[in-house]
Amino acid sequence: NGAWKTKPGSKAHPNEGYRSVFSHKQEHASVGYYSVFLKSYGIKAELTVGKRSGMMRYTFPKTGNRNIIIDLNRGIQNHTVSSAVHFVGNNAIEGYRQSHGWANDRYVYFYAKFSQPFEKHAIVENGKIIGGANNASGKVVKALVRFAQTTNKPLLVKVGISAVSMANAKANLES
């Protein structure tokens, strides 16, 4: 919540970016489920997975902006070659990340559908926020979305992934 931040910040100084402080005491991990309370923002994040899909639930505080950032330059191994995002209507995003690392030339395509419409969205290209843009591609691409504060309902995010195409990622989400 708060203003959009486009850089992660360092582990030593997480508040310089969008990272959050958390405590392992407020973290739970079991087969098929993970949750953590993000102290810096007062957000409870919960995740579960299916075959080639996942679901997230974010419970935001009652006040403050409700933001999500999709940072396609971040990964376990940070060897991004190219990436792209495309906003689909007012509640979905699709895209891909091409990287090198454990696999020489790996593509991961995604399709993410949100339970609430976007109030506002933007794309970050090479560190610059471009408000209202619907498409971007390049090495360092990020998507920013903000949701209305008029509801206290948690935000649900369904994500399908594929190594083949964005259409297959969407089909994996729907299946």
Side-chain angles (χ1 to χ4, degrees), residues 80-117:
T80 304
V81 175
S82 68
S83 57
V85 293
H86 171 72
F87 284 90
V88 182
N90 70 347
N91 74 332
I93 300 172
E94 64 183 3
Y96 74 88
R97 179 179 187 245
Q98 177 193 14
S99 64
H100 293 294
W102 63 268
N104 186 35
D105 190 27
R106 182 174 57 127
Y107 283 81
V108 175
Y109 297 91
F110 72 92
Y111 187 91
K113 189 169 184 178
F114 299 82
S115 64
Q116 299 167 24

Side-chain angles (χ1 to χ4, degrees), residues 32-149:
Y33 177 78
Y34 174 79
S35 72
V36 65
F37 183 73
L38 304 172
K39 286 184 176 184
S40 300
Y41 303 105
I43 298 169
K44 182 176 182 181
E46 299 171 275
L47 304 100
T48 190
V49 296
K51 192 173 183 178
R52 295 181 207 90
S53 64
M55 187 152 192
M56 297 167 262
R57 177 171 48 201
Y58 296 99
T59 304
F60 290 88
K62 293 181 181 182
T63 60
N65 292 323
R66 299 161 43 100
N67 301 319
I68 298 284
I69 182 169
I70 298 173
D71 186 344
L72 296 174
N73 195 45
R74 305 294 305 166
I76 293 172
Q77 295 176 331
N78 225 9
H79 305 294
T80 304
V81 175
S82 68
S83 57
V85 293
H86 171 72
F87 284 90
V88 182
N90 70 347
N91 74 332
I93 300 172
E94 64 183 3
Y96 74 88
R97 179 179 187 245
Q98 177 193 14
S99 64
H100 293 294
W102 63 268
N104 186 35
D105 190 27
R106 182 174 57 127
Y107 283 81
V108 175
Y109 297 91
F110 72 92
Y111 187 91
K113 189 169 184 178
F114 299 82
S115 64
Q116 299 167 24
F118 307 140
E119 180 181 78
K120 183 178 178 181
H121 72 274
I123 288 176
V124 181
E125 286 184 285
N126 300 315
K128 183 179 176 187
I129 296 176
I130 304 165
N134 290 321
N135 301 291
S137 62
K139 187 171 181 177
V140 181
V141 175
K142 302 171 188 177
L144 301 169
V145 290
R146 178 166 294 153
F147 300 90
Q149 298 173 326

Side-chain angles (χ1 to χ4, degrees), residues 144-164:
L144 301 169
V145 290
R146 178 166 294 153
F147 300 90
Q149 298 173 326
T150 57
T151 180
N152 287 330
K153 291 182 182 177
L155 174 68
L156 303 177
V157 186
K158 295 188 274 186
V159 181
I161 62 169
S162 170
V164 178

